[in-house]
Amino acid sequence: MLYKFKMPDLSTTGDEVDVKQWLVNVGDRITRGQAILEIETDKAVMEVESPVEGVLREWVAQPDTTVGVGTIIAHIETAGR
Amino acid sequence: MNSPQAKIDIDSYEAGFLLGLYECMVQIREFEEGVKFLFLEGTMPGTIHQCQGQEACAVGVCTALEPTDWITSTFRGHGHALAKGLSVDEMLFELFGAATGCAGGKGGSMHMVNMDKGMIPSIAIVAGGVPVAAGMALAFKMQQTGQVAACFFGDGAIAEGAFHEGVNMAAIWDVPVVFICENNQYGASTHVSKVMRAATIAERLSSYGIDGRRIDGNDVIAVYEAARRAVDDCRAGRGPAFLELMTYRRTGHSRRDACHYQPKPEREQWLENDPIVRLGQALIEAGHATTEELDAVRKHILTSFDDAVERAKAQPQPTLADLTTHVLA
């Protein structure tokens, strides 16, 4: 199943965060809770953890861009939990 | 205090009792982990303050209480609630803002409550529970009910005015309240050493005439035994009492906190000092359980949690008519 990972609400005051860098590559197997993306909120640089286990199929969020909370940032192939 | 990885002494207790402690701690850990992912997925609204790594404090203390005793809790209250007997369903429904949640969907993560189980709504104001618990214990004393109040707070509470006033009131009234400081060493991003010159929080309480000890808060048996003595003292009219439980906050202050202020070596040392792993090892060494049996406990809890999430998603939300209920002023 393709899981569409939406940007979590990690900003303290705003609705947008800056995408800094990918911490995993397309094709990588990722575990639940693994940090996969570095972002910068209004307050701090943070790592975003994957809520699912699976294989990263596509990065939607691009480094050096700003994305809104709730925007799809990655597609992850899961085996279903 | 024992060194971090000191062996847990379980010799005095039966397997059933110990497995009950283990199960409750795993329940808290997996509830918190599950909620964390629901938050990351965007399935659950609001923010959350979590207690992974502090499970032994909630479980050790609440196990020493009677069902008729009362607790006050904080914004980091999921563990206290589960240890006091609240169900995963009523808590999860509340986190989803459902009308069937423990606060009717009006409280959310920071206001876990079940008056029938001895838990007033947890209080999100830092140190807010301290004067409330003192007053509660005064009522128990005046009405001679034999009940005890247990008041949870963190090290971030100890420089608040309400803390000092509440503790002093409890002390001069000799009321049956156990003050429990879960010293997880950080008040939001501030290390406890930056808000206190004394070496221990216990010293502060002794200045009010309340005996207190610093205890390994990641040793559930040490916490239980200390809490048991404190509760017995309170019930015998020798209250109030104080416990300083040394533990560590593994997550950010809230889900939006990247937690960069915790030094890496310190974090790693404390991550190794896991209250659940420590009790699990002691259970295996004593022959009370196998690794497979402990895994099965966790798996069962995980499955039940997933089922509860599905139920939570289907719960009714409060209606417009609920807007004016439970409003006192």
Side-chain angles (χ1 to χ4, degrees):
Chain A
M1 199 181 84
L2 201 62
Y3 176 78
K4 292 174 181 171
F5 183 24
K6 294 177 183 169
M7 184 61 221
D9 183 11
L10 295 169
S11 171
T12 313
T13 56
D15 296 327
E16 293 183 328
V17 298
D18 296 335
V19 177
K20 305 300 281 185
Q21 59 170 330
W22 300 326
L23 302 176
V24 292
N25 298 310
V26 170
D28 283 357
R29 174 157 285 284
I30 52 183
T31 57
R32 197 171 183 235
Q34 183 178 342
I36 61 168
L37 179 69
E38 193 177 272
I39 59 157
E40 186 164 359
T41 70
D42 50 342
K43 218 169 175 182
V45 173
M46 297 183 73
E47 289 174 345
V48 179
E49 296 173 43
S50 171
V52 294
E53 183 177 333
V55 176
L56 183 76
R57 287 295 174 219
E58 186 188 354
W59 271 120
V60 181
Q62 303 297 319
D64 303 319
T65 61
T66 300
V67 299
V69 167
T71 311
I72 293 169
I73 53 175
H75 292 166
I76 303 166
E77 184 87 41
T78 64
R81 230 182 111 224
Chain B
M1 195 182 95
N2 293 329
S3 64
Q5 276 84 33
K7 196 166 167 284
I8 296 187
D9 182 3
I10 60 169
D11 294 351
S12 310
Y13 302 95
E14 289 178 2
F17 173 79
L18 297 166
L19 286 164
L21 298 177
Y22 184 83
E23 193 176 328
C24 192
M25 287 202 291
V26 175
Q27 176 70 78
I28 295 171
R29 174 73 55 89
E30 296 307 335
F31 183 90
E32 293 292 57
E33 286 291 303
V35 161
K36 172 175 120 177
F37 290 113
L38 288 171
F39 175 80
L40 285 176
E41 285 172 7
T43 312
M44 200 192 66
T47 189
I48 36 172
H49 301 77
Q50 305 205 281
C51 70
Q52 288 98 322
Q54 300 179 215
E55 297 87 351
C57 302
V59 174
V61 170
C62 289
T63 304
L65 296 171
E66 295 295 327
T68 47
D69 292 332
W70 286 73
I71 65 168
T72 69
S73 176
T74 68
F75 49 85
R76 202 178 305 289
H78 299 167
H80 307 145
L82 287 165
K84 196 67 175 82
L86 270 71
S87 71
V88 169
D89 273 25
E90 64 186 314
M91 292 171 59
L92 210 47
F93 295 177
E94 186 60 34
L95 294 182
F96 275 79
T100 47
C102 62
K106 294 177 178 178
S109 169
M110 294 197 262
H111 304 294
M112 293 290 127
V113 53
N114 188 319
M115 303 294 272
D116 294 328
K117 289 173 180 166
M119 182 171 189
I120 64 162
S122 44
I123 300 167
I125 298 166
V126 176
V130 176
V132 173
M136 205 186 275
L138 179 64
F140 296 159
K141 182 183 175 181
M142 292 176 74
Q143 294 167 9
Q144 299 181 330
T145 66
Q147 290 161 281
V148 170
C151 172
F152 288 100
F153 52 89
D155 47 290
I158 60 160
E160 290 284 341
F163 169 81
H164 293 275
E165 294 178 41
V167 163
N168 190 52
M169 289 291 210
I172 58 178
W173 291 334
D174 302 319
V175 294
V177 54
V178 184
F179 293 112
I180 300 127
C181 181
E182 283 180 62
N183 187 348
N184 68 16
Q185 307 182 46
Y186 290 87
S189 56
T190 307
H191 193 265
V192 63
S193 60
K194 292 184 178 164
V195 296
M196 181 177 75
R197 194 174 180 187
T200 71
I201 296 168
E203 285 174 47
R204 290 206 159 176
L205 274 289
S206 62
S207 75
Y208 288 107
I210 301 174
D211 283 339
R213 289 197 307 138
R214 178 173 265 203
I215 291 142
D216 177 355
N218 283 8
D219 175 343
V220 69
I221 295 297
V223 174
Y224 168 72
E225 290 181 344
R228 197 60 209 264
R229 276 192 297 274
V231 169
D232 287 349
D233 277 349
C234 282
R235 237 186 278 287
R238 295 189 296 269
F242 174 67
L243 308 173
E244 179 179 2
L245 309 179
M246 294 306 293
T247 184
Y248 197 74
R249 201 188 66 214
R250 296 174 162 218
T251 66
H253 169 68
S254 73
R255 280 311 306 161
R256 296 187 176 103
D257 172 10
C259 214
H260 292 318
Y261 45 81
Q262 291 184 345
K264 212 171 171 196
E266 177 189 277
R267 272 190 70 77
E268 280 167 3
Q269 193 192 341
W270 276 96
L271 288 176
E272 278 176 32
N273 176 1
D274 186 312
I276 296 173
V277 172
R278 286 174 68 190
L279 180 62
Q281 279 168 350
L283 286 168
I284 291 165
E285 278 173 30
H288 291 320
T290 62
T291 309
E292 291 73 27
E293 283 165 346
L294 296 184
D295 282 347
V297 167
R298 184 170 169 271
K299 285 207 178 82
H300 175 70
I301 285 169
L302 279 174
T303 309
S304 308
F305 182 82
D306 288 346
D307 292 345
V309 170
E310 291 312 310
R311 286 194 293 276
K313 287 177 181 168
Q315 294 302 303
Q317 293 291 305
T319 65
L320 203 56
D322 296 316
L323 193 65
T324 50
T325 58
H326 306 117
V327 178
L328 300 178

